[in-house]
Amino acid sequence: MQGRIRAAFDRDWRFAPGDFDGAQAAAYEDGDWRVVHAPHDWSVEGAFDEHAPSGGDGGYLPGGVGWYRKTFRADEARRDRRVTIQFDGVYRNSDVWVNGVHLGRYPFGYGSFEYELTPHLVFGGTNVVAVRVDNGAQPNSRWYSGSGITRRVWLQTTDRLHIDRFGVFVRTPDVSPEAATIAVATRIVNDGARPEAAIALRTEALDAQGAVVAAAETTLTPIEAGAAADVEQRLRLEGPALWSVDDPRLYTLRSTVLRNGEAIDGEDTTFGIRSATFDADRGFLLNGRQVKINGVCLHHDGGCVGAAVPERVWERRLRLLKEMGCNGIRMSHNPPDPELLDLCDRMGFLVMDEAFDEWTIAKWKNGRADVHGYAEDFEAWAERDLTTMLRRDRNHPSIVLWSVGNEIPEQRETNGHEIARWLIDICRREDPTRLVTAACDNIEAEPTPATKEFLESLDVVGYNYVGRWRTRTETFYGEDRHRYPHRRVIGTENPGIVSVRGDYSLEPSPEAWWSGPYPTAMIGVEQLWKYTRMHDFVAGDFMWTGIDYIGETRWPNKNASFGVLDTCGFPKDSYYFYKSQWTGRPVAHLFPHWNWAGQEGRVIPVICYTNCDSAELFVNGRSFGVKSYEFPRQGMTKAWAHFEKPYRHVTTADLHLSWDVPYEPGTLRLVGYKDGAVAVETTVETTGAPAAIRTETDVATLTADGRDVCHATVRVVDEAGRIVPTAGVPLVFHVEGAGALIGTDNGRPDSHESYKSPRRRTFNGLALAVVQSTPEPGEIRIVVEAEGLGSASVNVATQR
């Protein structure tokens, strides 16, 4: 057997919640345990409970202890090779055994780790891996964490002489449209019992079609037993295809270890050729061109699937964000699933990769100080966990900035800058190509601000909620621009438009003062966006958040409502604000709905997000007037009173348009004009009562691999086929054939229906089911029954 074998080790784990004496032993009887497949999250399977120890920050879902066991055979041919088990993430405090032998304990719930199995395997026979996961110390997170083997698992076999894990580092120090230098550092490890000679490393760069476009080969000096060799190579590529947000071109680096000319190990590494820099005056530059980072923060959960998120769920969500004009993702606030970074590479997002939410000082959770969290592990594990993240992630072209912490209390402490510099030095040691930040929420805070030493330790100063304190509500970064003109600046977290999809309250919430009524909730966001857009020195902003997430809430809500997409991935009205500002395609989005029975004559504010020059609202055919805004406003050019475009007398300085309309049933029609011509039209109509349901999936075909998923959206419609925007109809989902239902949702924050239940009530006319393929090809039939409205169905094919 030659070469490297990396096989998925996800399927057919046996799982049981609770603690079990002796469950690590190979002979332990687990026949009555449930069969599950990783990624797996047992918390999301539980019931929402107001008194759950996780509290609102944990989404009122259970934690506790759980066990996993997997039986497998080890091929006799692997006896003289190296076999490892690799976990992409286990939340949290995992212990792993093989055949009763304890391999190690790993506290961090978001880090990748591995153990060697070779000395303890029965080759040619049966083996058992056991994993104990302890998420019982609650609360330990300020948002939903999930519990269990929440990311993928791999079984890898290599020669004793092999490329180290995360042992290939690809850099592009010199980049131009004409040529690029590819610098490759490779670590080769000899885990054998004798020295290895006659060794060479061949490195090839392959383009998207698989053609070799650059290559190098290096002969190594003998590598002693138990030692490693670090190999530096440089390749030159003529006419490179550069990676960018608009055209994310990727290459593959193929590394091959040869012994006496025969390939014995190899690894493929995806990379991109690009330059990425932050400048104190010009902001962020990608390939020498100024790019404003229009970003969002994302937590790691996927709504109804919890922390065990299939790749297709992330793909759908990222596609929606991309269509909105988003080009940046902040991984809040811990290392993400590797598959999410792969998608960011392929889809063209600029990533801020973040390591920690806590250092040595534990943060309050659920308003309590008697809590748990990473602060308990920081001293012993921070260097290892940060180093692992950096080595694992540093080849991703999407990552342009490292973050060593989020809203760390140490930013105010006299020794905080010492910890920051220690972590930053680790970043520079492992990756000297990228700058380092931390997301700081105490810049000029009262009564105790972040220290000057802490902020000066950062390569790029990350501002959380820049407009929070005193006159900064108007001046934002302006005061610091004068005081620290050489400071590189980015908005690491700033407010979004807080809302629940389809909820049109006209009164501010007494409990959530930051959440305004729908006609005015966007004004603060508009003001900050104007500043960020017009000041080059601000590299960009990561808005809180791109998607609603479980946790960080208070009962009866189970999830926060800061996203532009709800937990189903359904766009809210705020989605279209960003689309109107971040894209050039004509946008005209009108809200609220027009179903206000019994409120005839009441004045209802009608809001429009648009990037048209002007827009005209018609109510049942009557014009309510033409309105417009202009941003950026144009000034004179070339001569007095000369304008490149026709001068406009705008009706507002806001970035939205508003009409006050006395309610009467019927039709709202909006016409958007550009350059004097109709560019886009949209309507909102008063609908009839619910008459039927419609269902459709986002894809027609799935891969029969037991991992691929489709999203089935259910809409409640009236007799004319229009979505009824206030409909709450009980549904029952049935999945037949080559698929399984893995989650249902409706996006409603205070819905306490189980995410795993086939029963789900629509919220404001919509609901969602996530269906996963099985390993066997065939056809999936999804049938939805609605109380009093009949049923609807859709078929999805699965194939290998």
Side-chain angles (χ1 to χ4, degrees), residues 10 40 46 85 222 242 253 426 430 468 488 532 601 663 751 769:
D10 297 325
H40 175 251
I85 187 169
L242 302 187
L253 191 84
I426 295 171
E430 300 298 330
R468 180 174 282 175
R488 290 172 285 207
T532 302
Y663 176 66
S751 169

Side-chain angles (χ1 to χ4, degrees), residues 656-720:
H656 67 276
L657 305 177
S658 177
W659 293 262
D660 289 332
V661 180
Y663 176 66
E664 60 181 58
T667 300
L668 304 177
R669 183 169 70 95
L670 187 95
V671 179
Y673 303 99
K674 273 184 174 287
D675 300 323
V678 175
V680 64
E681 293 189 35
T682 188
T683 61
V684 175
E685 296 179 288
T686 305
T687 71
I693 59 170
R694 301 284 184 266
T695 186
E696 63 181 10
T697 57
D698 57 332
V699 293
T701 305
L702 294 181
T703 302
D705 59 1
R707 303 191 66 251
D708 203 2
V709 302
C710 66
H711 300 79
T713 298
V714 180
R715 296 174 172 85
V716 180
V717 298
D718 67 4
E719 288 185 349

Side-chain angles (χ1 to χ4, degrees), residues 413-680:
E413 302 296 317
T414 55
N415 69 331
H417 65 283
E418 297 174 358
I419 303 174
R421 286 174 179 165
W422 173 60
L423 296 172
I424 292 166
D425 285 345
I426 295 171
C427 293
R428 291 173 178 158
R429 179 191 74 201
E430 300 298 330
D431 176 20
T433 71
R434 293 177 179 89
L435 300 183
V436 186
T437 190
C440 303
D441 64 333
N442 279 187
I443 299 174
E444 296 303 316
E446 298 176 4
T448 308
T451 68
K452 181 180 179 182
E453 292 81 5
F454 188 96
L455 298 177
E456 287 181 346
S457 72
L458 305 174
D459 298 325
V460 181
V461 177
Y463 284 70
N464 280 22
Y465 304 98
V466 64
R468 180 174 282 175
W469 296 99
R470 292 191 183 267
T471 58
R472 290 170 185 259
T473 55
E474 299 289 348
T475 61
F476 301 115
Y477 305 91
E479 296 168 42
D480 289 351
R481 174 65 170 167
H482 290 290
R483 283 190 284 181
Y484 312 108
H486 301 298
R487 176 179 288 182
R488 290 172 285 207
V489 165
I490 188 168
T492 38
E493 182 176 320
N494 277 304
I497 303 170
V498 185
S499 66
V500 173
R501 176 181 55 78
D503 179 22
Y504 296 110
S505 171
L506 286 169
E507 300 296 330
S509 168
E511 298 177 355
W513 51 266
W514 57 86
S515 177
Y518 82 86
T520 57
M522 72 293 288
I523 291 176
V525 170
E526 292 175 345
Q527 291 173 329
L528 176 58
W529 164 240
K530 286 182 180 181
Y531 190 101
T532 302
R533 166 69 175 81
M534 297 306 296
H535 291 81
D536 287 349
F537 77 93
V538 183
D541 194 14
F542 292 98
M543 174 268 295
W544 191 264
T545 58
I547 307 170
D548 286 354
Y549 53 94
I550 309 171
E552 199 170 34
T553 189
R554 295 297 174 263
W555 193 265
N557 293 338
K558 66 182 184 301
N559 65 264
S561 298
F562 298 103
V564 294
L565 303 174
D566 69 9
T567 52
C568 297
F570 297 148
K572 305 179 188 180
D573 297 307
S574 55
Y575 176 93
Y576 298 95
F577 166 73
Y578 291 99
K579 190 172 184 178
S580 73
Q581 299 300 314
W582 290 354
T583 74
R585 302 182 297 277
V587 174
H589 176 73
L590 202 59
F591 63 101
H593 61 68
W594 209 235
N595 284 28
W596 300 88
Q599 302 190 51
E600 285 75 9
R602 178 187 178 186
V603 173
I604 305 293
V606 175
I607 309 298
C608 170
Y609 291 138
T610 185
N611 52 14
C612 293
D613 298 338
S614 61
E616 185 172 10
L617 179 69
F618 296 87
V619 182
N620 291 331
R622 303 188 309 276
S623 175
F624 266 58
V626 177
K627 296 193 176 185
S628 67
Y629 72 87
E630 188 177 43
F631 175 72
R633 289 192 300 164
Q634 64 171 332
M636 298 178 190
T637 60
K638 300 179 182 177
W640 170 258
H642 178 271
F643 297 90
E644 293 183 350
K645 296 180 179 180
Y647 184 79
R648 270 192 280 159
H649 293 279
V650 298
T651 60
T652 180
D654 295 326
L655 301 182
H656 67 276
L657 305 177
S658 177
W659 293 262
D660 289 332
V661 180
Y663 176 66
E664 60 181 58
T667 300
L668 304 177
R669 183 169 70 95
L670 187 95
V671 179
Y673 303 99
K674 273 184 174 287
D675 300 323
V678 175
V680 64

Side-chain angles (χ1 to χ4, degrees), residues 8 98 120 135 152 162 226 230 250 352 362-363 402 453 476 510 629 653 698 715 717 720 741 757 787 796:
V98 62
H120 318 295
N135 193 20
R152 297 200 65 183
H162 59 275
D230 292 309
L250 295 171
M352 173 178 159
K363 294 179 179 178
W402 301 117
E453 292 81 5
F476 301 115
Y629 72 87
D698 57 332
R715 296 174 172 85
V717 298
L741 181 70
S757 172
E787 187 175 288
V796 177

